[in-house]
Amino acid sequence: MVHVNESAENYLETILILSRKRPVVRSVDIAEELGFKKSSVSVAMKNLREKEHISVSREGFITLTRSGRAIAEMIYERHELLTEWLTRLGVDPKVAAEDACRIEHVISAESFEAIKRHIGEKKAEEGRTQD
């Protein structure tokens, strides 16, 4: 998988999340969601378009390309799983989500897969004890 910087990963993840909530995603929607200026988002969208992670229609509708979707889904999975893991460890859900947002960009694939396996094993154990 192509590595992109944390900012690009956040933008791609935001596009993925917004695309699940609404029929079309525009720069203004991303700016609103992230609390950024439209000009900053426009620069970022230009960079993502040049790297072929998004496509933008004439109407300004933003769509993830195959590579953009792969990156966005990887980051989103990390975010969701790390948030759940931290919450299950007793971390306040809001703090867990904020920490997961930082961790998701720097954790190695190896460490993330180990956490994922551990969580899966714990869920399986819990399922057996409830029977």
Side-chain angles (χ1 to χ4, degrees), residues 70-129:
I71 293 165
E73 287 177 348
M74 175 196 68
I75 294 299
Y76 185 71
E77 177 192 24
R78 286 178 174 196
H79 182 86
E80 292 291 293
L81 191 124
L82 291 167
T83 300
E84 176 190 347
W85 181 55
L86 292 169
T87 303
R88 290 172 66 120
L89 290 174
V91 177
D92 176 85
K94 186 176 186 303
V95 173
E98 290 168 359
D99 287 346
C101 196
R102 288 191 290 277
I103 296 167
E104 69 196 27
H105 302 287
V106 295
I107 192 169
S108 69
E110 181 181 354
S111 293
F112 179 73
E113 288 303 317
I115 292 169
K116 198 168 155 178
R117 274 193 311 277
H118 178 75
I119 290 171
E121 291 165 5
K122 286 290 180 200
K123 284 183 177 179
E125 285 174 20
E126 290 170 6
R128 285 193 298 273
T129 58

Short mmCIF file of all heavy atoms in Angstrom, two decimals, residues 70-129:
data_model
loop_
_atom_site.label_atom_id
_atom_site.label_comp_id
_atom_site.label_asym_id
_atom_site.label_seq_id
_atom_site.Cartn_x
_atom_site.Cartn_y
_atom_site.Cartn_z
N ALA A 70 -8.82 2.30 -0.37
CA ALA A 70 -8.04 1.32 0.39
C ALA A 70 -7.38 1.98 1.60
O ALA A 70 -7.41 1.44 2.71
CB ALA A 70 -6.99 0.67 -0.51
N ILE A 71 -6.80 3.15 1.39
CA ILE A 71 -6.16 3.88 2.49
C ILE A 71 -7.20 4.31 3.52
O ILE A 71 -7.03 4.11 4.72
CB ILE A 71 -5.39 5.11 1.96
CG1 ILE A 71 -4.20 4.65 1.11
CG2 ILE A 71 -4.92 6.01 3.12
CD1 ILE A 71 -3.60 5.75 0.25
N ALA A 72 -8.31 4.88 3.04
CA ALA A 72 -9.37 5.35 3.94
C ALA A 72 -9.94 4.21 4.78
O ALA A 72 -10.15 4.37 5.98
CB ALA A 72 -10.47 6.03 3.13
N GLU A 73 -10.19 3.06 4.15
CA GLU A 73 -10.76 1.93 4.89
C GLU A 73 -9.77 1.38 5.91
O GLU A 73 -10.17 0.98 7.00
CB GLU A 73 -11.24 0.85 3.92
CG GLU A 73 -12.51 1.29 3.21
CD GLU A 73 -13.02 0.30 2.18
OE1 GLU A 73 -12.29 -0.65 1.82
OE2 GLU A 73 -14.17 0.50 1.72
N MET A 74 -8.48 1.37 5.57
CA MET A 74 -7.46 0.91 6.52
C MET A 74 -7.44 1.82 7.75
O MET A 74 -7.46 1.35 8.89
CB MET A 74 -6.08 0.90 5.85
CG MET A 74 -4.96 0.54 6.82
SD MET A 74 -3.32 0.97 6.22
CE MET A 74 -3.37 2.76 6.25
N ILE A 75 -7.42 3.13 7.52
CA ILE A 75 -7.38 4.09 8.63
C ILE A 75 -8.66 4.01 9.45
O ILE A 75 -8.63 4.02 10.69
CB ILE A 75 -7.14 5.53 8.09
CG1 ILE A 75 -5.75 5.63 7.46
CG2 ILE A 75 -7.32 6.58 9.19
CD1 ILE A 75 -4.60 5.36 8.42
N TYR A 76 -9.80 3.90 8.77
CA TYR A 76 -11.09 3.83 9.47
C TYR A 76 -11.16 2.56 10.34
O TYR A 76 -11.60 2.61 11.49
CB TYR A 76 -12.24 3.87 8.47
CG TYR A 76 -13.59 3.92 9.12
CD1 TYR A 76 -14.01 5.08 9.78
CD2 TYR A 76 -14.45 2.84 9.09
CE1 TYR A 76 -15.25 5.15 10.39
CE2 TYR A 76 -15.69 2.89 9.69
CZ TYR A 76 -16.09 4.04 10.34
OH TYR A 76 -17.32 4.10 10.95
N GLU A 77 -10.69 1.43 9.81
CA GLU A 77 -10.69 0.19 10.58
C GLU A 77 -9.82 0.35 11.82
O GLU A 77 -10.20 -0.06 12.92
CB GLU A 77 -10.18 -0.98 9.74
CG GLU A 77 -10.10 -2.27 10.55
CD GLU A 77 -9.35 -3.40 9.88
OE1 GLU A 77 -8.49 -3.14 9.01
OE2 GLU A 77 -9.61 -4.56 10.27
N ARG A 78 -8.64 0.94 11.64
CA ARG A 78 -7.75 1.16 12.78
C ARG A 78 -8.43 2.04 13.82
O ARG A 78 -8.38 1.76 15.01
CB ARG A 78 -6.45 1.83 12.31
CG ARG A 78 -5.53 0.91 11.57
CD ARG A 78 -4.30 1.63 11.11
NE ARG A 78 -3.36 0.69 10.51
CZ ARG A 78 -2.09 0.96 10.29
NH1 ARG A 78 -1.58 2.14 10.61
NH2 ARG A 78 -1.30 0.06 9.75
N HIS A 79 -9.06 3.11 13.35
CA HIS A 79 -9.72 4.05 14.26
C HIS A 79 -10.80 3.34 15.08
O HIS A 79 -10.85 3.46 16.31
CB HIS A 79 -10.33 5.22 13.47
CG HIS A 79 -10.98 6.22 14.35
ND1 HIS A 79 -10.29 7.25 14.94
CD2 HIS A 79 -12.26 6.33 14.77
CE1 HIS A 79 -11.12 7.96 15.68
NE2 HIS A 79 -12.32 7.42 15.60
N GLU A 80 -11.66 2.61 14.39
CA GLU A 80 -12.76 1.93 15.06
C GLU A 80 -12.26 0.89 16.07
O GLU A 80 -12.72 0.84 17.20
CB GLU A 80 -13.67 1.25 14.03
CG GLU A 80 -14.44 2.24 13.16
CD GLU A 80 -15.49 2.99 13.94
OE1 GLU A 80 -16.46 2.35 14.38
OE2 GLU A 80 -15.34 4.21 14.13
N LEU A 81 -11.31 0.06 15.64
CA LEU A 81 -10.82 -1.00 16.50
C LEU A 81 -10.05 -0.45 17.70
O LEU A 81 -10.24 -0.91 18.83
CB LEU A 81 -9.95 -1.97 15.69
CG LEU A 81 -9.63 -3.25 16.45
CD1 LEU A 81 -10.08 -4.45 15.65
CD2 LEU A 81 -8.17 -3.33 16.77
N LEU A 82 -9.19 0.53 17.45
CA LEU A 82 -8.41 1.12 18.56
C LEU A 82 -9.33 1.84 19.55
O LEU A 82 -9.11 1.75 20.77
CB LEU A 82 -7.34 2.06 18.02
CG LEU A 82 -6.20 1.38 17.25
CD1 LEU A 82 -5.37 2.41 16.49
CD2 LEU A 82 -5.33 0.55 18.20
N THR A 83 -10.35 2.52 19.05
CA THR A 83 -11.31 3.19 19.94
C THR A 83 -12.01 2.16 20.82
O THR A 83 -12.12 2.33 22.04
CB THR A 83 -12.35 4.00 19.13
OG1 THR A 83 -11.66 4.98 18.35
CG2 THR A 83 -13.36 4.68 20.03
N GLU A 84 -12.48 1.08 20.19
CA GLU A 84 -13.16 0.02 20.94
C GLU A 84 -12.23 -0.59 21.98
O GLU A 84 -12.61 -0.79 23.14
CB GLU A 84 -13.65 -1.08 19.98
CG GLU A 84 -14.29 -2.25 20.70
CD GLU A 84 -14.56 -3.45 19.81
OE1 GLU A 84 -14.49 -3.32 18.57
OE2 GLU A 84 -14.83 -4.53 20.36
N TRP A 85 -11.01 -0.88 21.59
CA TRP A 85 -10.02 -1.51 22.47
C TRP A 85 -9.75 -0.62 23.69
O TRP A 85 -9.79 -1.08 24.83
CB TRP A 85 -8.74 -1.78 21.68
CG TRP A 85 -7.63 -2.44 22.43
CD1 TRP A 85 -7.67 -3.62 23.13
CD2 TRP A 85 -6.29 -1.96 22.55
NE1 TRP A 85 -6.43 -3.90 23.66
CE2 TRP A 85 -5.56 -2.90 23.32
CE3 TRP A 85 -5.63 -0.84 22.07
CZ2 TRP A 85 -4.22 -2.73 23.62
CZ3 TRP A 85 -4.29 -0.68 22.36
CH2 TRP A 85 -3.60 -1.62 23.13
N LEU A 86 -9.48 0.66 23.44
CA LEU A 86 -9.19 1.58 24.55
C LEU A 86 -10.40 1.74 25.46
O LEU A 86 -10.26 1.79 26.69
CB LEU A 86 -8.74 2.94 24.00
CG LEU A 86 -7.36 2.93 23.30
CD1 LEU A 86 -7.13 4.24 22.55
CD2 LEU A 86 -6.25 2.66 24.31
N THR A 87 -11.59 1.79 24.88
CA THR A 87 -12.82 1.91 25.67
C THR A 87 -13.00 0.68 26.56
O THR A 87 -13.32 0.80 27.75
CB THR A 87 -14.04 2.11 24.76
OG1 THR A 87 -13.82 3.27 23.95
CG2 THR A 87 -15.31 2.30 25.55
N ARG A 88 -12.74 -0.49 25.98
CA ARG A 88 -12.86 -1.75 26.76
C ARG A 88 -11.83 -1.82 27.88
O ARG A 88 -12.05 -2.50 28.89
CB ARG A 88 -12.75 -2.96 25.85
CG ARG A 88 -13.95 -3.13 24.95
CD ARG A 88 -13.73 -4.21 23.93
NE ARG A 88 -13.63 -5.51 24.59
CZ ARG A 88 -14.44 -6.53 24.36
NH1 ARG A 88 -15.42 -6.41 23.49
NH2 ARG A 88 -14.27 -7.66 24.98
N LEU A 89 -10.72 -1.11 27.71
CA LEU A 89 -9.70 -1.06 28.76
C LEU A 89 -10.07 -0.07 29.87
O LEU A 89 -9.36 0.06 30.85
CB LEU A 89 -8.34 -0.67 28.17
CG LEU A 89 -7.67 -1.70 27.28
CD1 LEU A 89 -6.41 -1.12 26.63
CD2 LEU A 89 -7.33 -2.96 28.06
N GLY A 90 -11.19 0.66 29.67
CA GLY A 90 -11.66 1.58 30.69
C GLY A 90 -11.41 3.05 30.39
O GLY A 90 -11.69 3.92 31.22
N VAL A 91 -10.90 3.35 29.20
CA VAL A 91 -10.66 4.74 28.81
C VAL A 91 -12.00 5.38 28.45
O VAL A 91 -12.84 4.75 27.82
CB VAL A 91 -9.68 4.81 27.62
CG1 VAL A 91 -9.46 6.24 27.16
CG2 VAL A 91 -8.35 4.15 27.97
N ASP A 92 -12.19 6.62 28.87
CA ASP A 92 -13.39 7.37 28.51
C ASP A 92 -13.56 7.33 26.99
O ASP A 92 -12.58 7.54 26.26
CB ASP A 92 -13.25 8.82 29.00
CG ASP A 92 -14.41 9.68 28.58
OD1 ASP A 92 -15.43 9.68 29.29
OD2 ASP A 92 -14.31 10.34 27.53
N PRO A 93 -14.77 7.07 26.48
CA PRO A 93 -14.97 6.95 25.03
C PRO A 93 -14.48 8.14 24.20
O PRO A 93 -13.91 7.96 23.13
CB PRO A 93 -16.49 6.77 24.89
CG PRO A 93 -16.90 6.15 26.18
CD PRO A 93 -16.00 6.75 27.22
N LYS A 94 -14.66 9.36 24.73
CA LYS A 94 -14.20 10.54 23.99
C LYS A 94 -12.67 10.57 23.91
O LYS A 94 -12.10 10.83 22.85
CB LYS A 94 -14.73 11.81 24.67
CG LYS A 94 -14.46 13.10 23.91
CD LYS A 94 -15.11 14.29 24.61
CE LYS A 94 -15.02 15.57 23.85
NZ LYS A 94 -13.69 16.01 23.50
N VAL A 95 -12.02 10.28 25.02
CA VAL A 95 -10.56 10.24 25.06
C VAL A 95 -10.06 9.09 24.18
O VAL A 95 -9.08 9.25 23.44
CB VAL A 95 -10.05 10.09 26.52
CG1 VAL A 95 -8.54 9.88 26.56
CG2 VAL A 95 -10.45 11.30 27.35
N ALA A 96 -10.73 7.95 24.25
CA ALA A 96 -10.34 6.78 23.45
C ALA A 96 -10.38 7.13 21.96
O ALA A 96 -9.46 6.79 21.21
CB ALA A 96 -11.26 5.60 23.75
N ALA A 97 -11.44 7.82 21.52
CA ALA A 97 -11.56 8.20 20.10
C ALA A 97 -10.46 9.18 19.70
O ALA A 97 -9.87 9.06 18.61
CB ALA A 97 -12.94 8.79 19.83
N GLU A 98 -10.16 10.13 20.57
CA GLU A 98 -9.09 11.11 20.28
C GLU A 98 -7.73 10.43 20.21
O GLU A 98 -6.94 10.70 19.30
CB GLU A 98 -9.08 12.21 21.34
CG GLU A 98 -10.27 13.13 21.27
CD GLU A 98 -10.41 14.04 22.49
OE1 GLU A 98 -9.58 13.95 23.43
OE2 GLU A 98 -11.36 14.84 22.52
N ASP A 99 -7.46 9.53 21.16
CA ASP A 99 -6.18 8.82 21.16
C ASP A 99 -6.08 7.90 19.94
O ASP A 99 -5.02 7.82 19.31
CB ASP A 99 -6.00 8.02 22.44
CG ASP A 99 -5.70 8.91 23.64
OD1 ASP A 99 -5.38 10.10 23.44
OD2 ASP A 99 -5.79 8.41 24.78
N ALA A 100 -7.16 7.21 19.63
CA ALA A 100 -7.17 6.31 18.47
C ALA A 100 -6.85 7.09 17.20
O ALA A 100 -6.12 6.60 16.33
CB ALA A 100 -8.53 5.62 18.34
N CYS A 101 -7.35 8.32 17.12
CA CYS A 101 -7.11 9.16 15.94
C CYS A 101 -5.62 9.46 15.77
O CYS A 101 -5.13 9.53 14.65
CB CYS A 101 -7.91 10.45 16.06
SG CYS A 101 -8.06 11.32 14.50
N ARG A 102 -4.92 9.58 16.87
CA ARG A 102 -3.47 9.83 16.78
C ARG A 102 -2.71 8.53 16.52
O ARG A 102 -1.81 8.47 15.70
CB ARG A 102 -2.97 10.51 18.06
CG ARG A 102 -3.42 11.96 18.15
CD ARG A 102 -2.72 12.71 19.28
NE ARG A 102 -3.13 12.27 20.61
CZ ARG A 102 -4.21 12.71 21.24
NH1 ARG A 102 -5.00 13.61 20.67
NH2 ARG A 102 -4.51 12.30 22.46
N ILE A 103 -3.08 7.48 17.23
CA ILE A 103 -2.38 6.19 17.12
C ILE A 103 -2.54 5.58 15.73
O ILE A 103 -1.59 5.01 15.20
CB ILE A 103 -2.91 5.20 18.20
CG1 ILE A 103 -2.61 5.70 19.60
CG2 ILE A 103 -2.32 3.80 17.97
CD1 ILE A 103 -3.36 4.95 20.70
N GLU A 104 -3.72 5.72 15.13
CA GLU A 104 -4.03 5.05 13.86
C GLU A 104 -3.03 5.39 12.75
O GLU A 104 -2.86 4.61 11.82
CB GLU A 104 -5.45 5.36 13.41
CG GLU A 104 -5.67 6.79 12.99
CD GLU A 104 -7.13 7.21 12.90
OE1 GLU A 104 -7.97 6.64 13.61
OE2 GLU A 104 -7.41 8.13 12.12
N HIS A 105 -2.38 6.53 12.86
CA HIS A 105 -1.46 6.97 11.80
C HIS A 105 -0.03 6.48 11.99
O HIS A 105 0.73 6.48 11.05
CB HIS A 105 -1.46 8.50 11.71
CG HIS A 105 -2.81 9.05 11.44
ND1 HIS A 105 -3.42 8.95 10.21
CD2 HIS A 105 -3.70 9.69 12.24
CE1 HIS A 105 -4.61 9.50 10.27
NE2 HIS A 105 -4.80 9.95 11.50
N VAL A 106 0.32 6.10 13.22
CA VAL A 106 1.72 5.76 13.49
C VAL A 106 1.94 4.29 13.84
O VAL A 106 3.07 3.83 13.79
CB VAL A 106 2.32 6.66 14.61
CG1 VAL A 106 2.37 8.11 14.17
CG2 VAL A 106 1.54 6.52 15.90
N ILE A 107 0.88 3.58 14.15
CA ILE A 107 1.05 2.18 14.55
C ILE A 107 1.47 1.35 13.33
O ILE A 107 0.98 1.56 12.22
CB ILE A 107 -0.25 1.64 15.21
CG1 ILE A 107 0.02 0.29 15.88
CG2 ILE A 107 -1.39 1.55 14.20
CD1 ILE A 107 -1.12 -0.18 16.76
N SER A 108 2.37 0.42 13.56
CA SER A 108 2.82 -0.45 12.46
C SER A 108 1.71 -1.46 12.14
O SER A 108 0.86 -1.76 12.99
CB SER A 108 4.08 -1.20 12.85
OG SER A 108 3.79 -2.16 13.86
N ALA A 109 1.76 -2.00 10.93
CA ALA A 109 0.80 -3.03 10.53
C ALA A 109 0.92 -4.23 11.46
O ALA A 109 -0.08 -4.83 11.86
CB ALA A 109 1.02 -3.43 9.08
N GLU A 110 2.15 -4.57 11.83
CA GLU A 110 2.39 -5.72 12.71
C GLU A 110 1.73 -5.53 14.08
O GLU A 110 1.04 -6.43 14.57
CB GLU A 110 3.89 -5.92 12.88
CG GLU A 110 4.25 -7.11 13.75
CD GLU A 110 5.76 -7.29 13.93
OE1 GLU A 110 6.55 -6.57 13.30
OE2 GLU A 110 6.12 -8.17 14.73
N SER A 111 1.93 -4.37 14.69
CA SER A 111 1.33 -4.11 16.00
C SER A 111 -0.19 -4.06 15.92
O SER A 111 -0.89 -4.59 16.79
CB SER A 111 1.86 -2.80 16.58
OG SER A 111 3.22 -2.93 16.89
N PHE A 112 -0.71 -3.43 14.86
CA PHE A 112 -2.15 -3.35 14.72
C PHE A 112 -2.76 -4.75 14.57
O PHE A 112 -3.77 -5.06 15.20
CB PHE A 112 -2.54 -2.47 13.52
CG PHE A 112 -4.03 -2.40 13.34
CD1 PHE A 112 -4.81 -1.67 14.22
CD2 PHE A 112 -4.65 -3.09 12.31
CE1 PHE A 112 -6.20 -1.63 14.08
CE2 PHE A 112 -6.04 -3.04 12.16
CZ PHE A 112 -6.80 -2.31 13.05
N GLU A 113 -2.13 -5.59 13.76
CA GLU A 113 -2.65 -6.96 13.57
C GLU A 113 -2.60 -7.74 14.88
O GLU A 113 -3.50 -8.53 15.16
CB GLU A 113 -1.88 -7.68 12.46
CG GLU A 113 -2.20 -7.16 11.07
CD GLU A 113 -3.67 -7.22 10.70
OE1 GLU A 113 -4.33 -8.25 10.99
OE2 GLU A 113 -4.17 -6.23 10.13
N ALA A 114 -1.57 -7.52 15.70
CA ALA A 114 -1.47 -8.20 17.00
C ALA A 114 -2.62 -7.77 17.91
O ALA A 114 -3.23 -8.60 18.59
CB ALA A 114 -0.12 -7.91 17.64
N ILE A 115 -2.91 -6.48 17.94
CA ILE A 115 -4.04 -5.97 18.75
C ILE A 115 -5.35 -6.55 18.24
O ILE A 115 -6.19 -6.99 19.02
CB ILE A 115 -4.07 -4.42 18.74
CG1 ILE A 115 -2.86 -3.85 19.49
CG2 ILE A 115 -5.38 -3.89 19.34
CD1 ILE A 115 -2.65 -2.35 19.31
N LYS A 116 -5.49 -6.57 16.94
CA LYS A 116 -6.71 -7.11 16.32
C LYS A 116 -6.90 -8.59 16.70
O LYS A 116 -8.01 -9.00 17.08
CB LYS A 116 -6.57 -6.97 14.80
CG LYS A 116 -7.83 -7.05 14.02
CD LYS A 116 -7.51 -6.59 12.60
CE LYS A 116 -8.45 -7.15 11.60
NZ LYS A 116 -8.16 -6.69 10.25
N ARG A 117 -5.81 -9.37 16.64
CA ARG A 117 -5.89 -10.79 17.03
C ARG A 117 -6.26 -10.91 18.51
O ARG A 117 -7.09 -11.72 18.89
CB ARG A 117 -4.55 -11.49 16.78
CG ARG A 117 -4.36 -12.02 15.39
CD ARG A 117 -3.17 -12.97 15.29
NE ARG A 117 -1.95 -12.46 15.90
CZ ARG A 117 -1.09 -11.63 15.30
NH1 ARG A 117 -1.31 -11.21 14.07
NH2 ARG A 117 0.00 -11.22 15.93
N HIS A 118 -5.62 -10.09 19.34
CA HIS A 118 -5.88 -10.13 20.78
C HIS A 118 -7.35 -9.82 21.08
O HIS A 118 -7.97 -10.51 21.89
CB HIS A 118 -4.96 -9.13 21.49
CG HIS A 118 -5.19 -9.06 22.97
ND1 HIS A 118 -4.76 -10.04 23.83
CD2 HIS A 118 -5.81 -8.13 23.73
CE1 HIS A 118 -5.12 -9.72 25.06
NE2 HIS A 118 -5.74 -8.57 25.02
N ILE A 119 -7.88 -8.81 20.44
CA ILE A 119 -9.29 -8.45 20.65
C ILE A 119 -10.19 -9.60 20.20
O ILE A 119 -11.16 -9.95 20.88
CB ILE A 119 -9.64 -7.14 19.93
CG1 ILE A 119 -8.94 -5.96 20.63
CG2 ILE A 119 -11.15 -6.92 19.88
CD1 ILE A 119 -9.04 -4.65 19.88
N GLY A 120 -9.87 -10.19 19.06
CA GLY A 120 -10.65 -11.32 18.56
C GLY A 120 -10.64 -12.49 19.53
O GLY A 120 -11.67 -13.13 19.78
N GLU A 121 -9.47 -12.77 20.11
CA GLU A 121 -9.35 -13.85 21.09
C GLU A 121 -10.15 -13.54 22.34
O GLU A 121 -10.82 -14.41 22.90
CB GLU A 121 -7.88 -14.07 21.45
CG GLU A 121 -7.06 -14.66 20.31
CD GLU A 121 -5.55 -14.56 20.51
OE1 GLU A 121 -5.11 -14.10 21.59
OE2 GLU A 121 -4.82 -14.92 19.57
N LYS A 122 -10.09 -12.29 22.80
CA LYS A 122 -10.84 -11.90 24.01
C LYS A 122 -12.35 -12.03 23.77
O LYS A 122 -13.08 -12.49 24.63
CB LYS A 122 -10.52 -10.45 24.41
CG LYS A 122 -9.16 -10.30 25.03
CD LYS A 122 -9.15 -10.95 26.39
CE LYS A 122 -7.80 -10.83 27.05
NZ LYS A 122 -7.62 -11.78 28.11
N LYS A 123 -12.81 -11.61 22.57
CA LYS A 123 -14.24 -11.71 22.25
C LYS A 123 -14.66 -13.18 22.21
O LYS A 123 -15.74 -13.53 22.66
CB LYS A 123 -14.56 -11.02 20.93
CG LYS A 123 -14.59 -9.52 21.03
CD LYS A 123 -14.99 -8.90 19.71
CE LYS A 123 -15.08 -7.40 19.82
NZ LYS A 123 -15.43 -6.78 18.54
N ALA A 124 -13.80 -14.03 21.66
CA ALA A 124 -14.11 -15.46 21.60
C ALA A 124 -14.21 -16.04 23.01
O ALA A 124 -15.12 -16.83 23.30
CB ALA A 124 -13.05 -16.19 20.78
N GLU A 125 -13.29 -15.64 23.89
CA GLU A 125 -13.31 -16.10 25.28
C GLU A 125 -14.60 -15.66 25.97
O GLU A 125 -15.23 -16.43 26.69
CB GLU A 125 -12.11 -15.54 26.07
CG GLU A 125 -10.80 -16.19 25.78
CD GLU A 125 -9.64 -15.50 26.48
OE1 GLU A 125 -9.88 -14.76 27.47
OE2 GLU A 125 -8.50 -15.69 26.04
N GLU A 126 -14.96 -14.39 25.75
CA GLU A 126 -16.18 -13.87 26.37
C GLU A 126 -17.40 -14.62 25.87
O GLU A 126 -18.33 -14.89 26.62
CB GLU A 126 -16.33 -12.37 26.09
CG GLU A 126 -15.31 -11.53 26.83
CD GLU A 126 -15.28 -10.08 26.36
OE1 GLU A 126 -16.14 -9.68 25.53
OE2 GLU A 126 -14.38 -9.35 26.81
N GLY A 127 -17.40 -14.95 24.60
CA GLY A 127 -18.52 -15.72 24.01
C GLY A 127 -18.64 -17.09 24.64
O GLY A 127 -19.74 -17.56 24.91
N ARG A 128 -17.49 -17.73 24.90
CA ARG A 128 -17.50 -19.07 25.52
C ARG A 128 -17.97 -19.02 26.97
O ARG A 128 -18.65 -19.91 27.44
CB ARG A 128 -16.12 -19.72 25.44
CG ARG A 128 -15.77 -20.23 24.04
CD ARG A 128 -14.55 -21.14 24.09
NE ARG A 128 -13.36 -20.45 24.55
CZ ARG A 128 -12.51 -19.76 23.76
NH1 ARG A 128 -12.75 -19.67 22.47
NH2 ARG A 128 -11.45 -19.18 24.27
N THR A 129 -17.62 -17.95 27.70
CA THR A 129 -18.00 -17.87 29.10
C THR A 129 -19.49 -17.54 29.27
O THR A 129 -20.05 -17.76 30.32
CB THR A 129 -17.15 -16.83 29.88
OG1 THR A 129 -17.30 -15.56 29.27
CG2 THR A 129 -15.69 -17.25 29.92
#
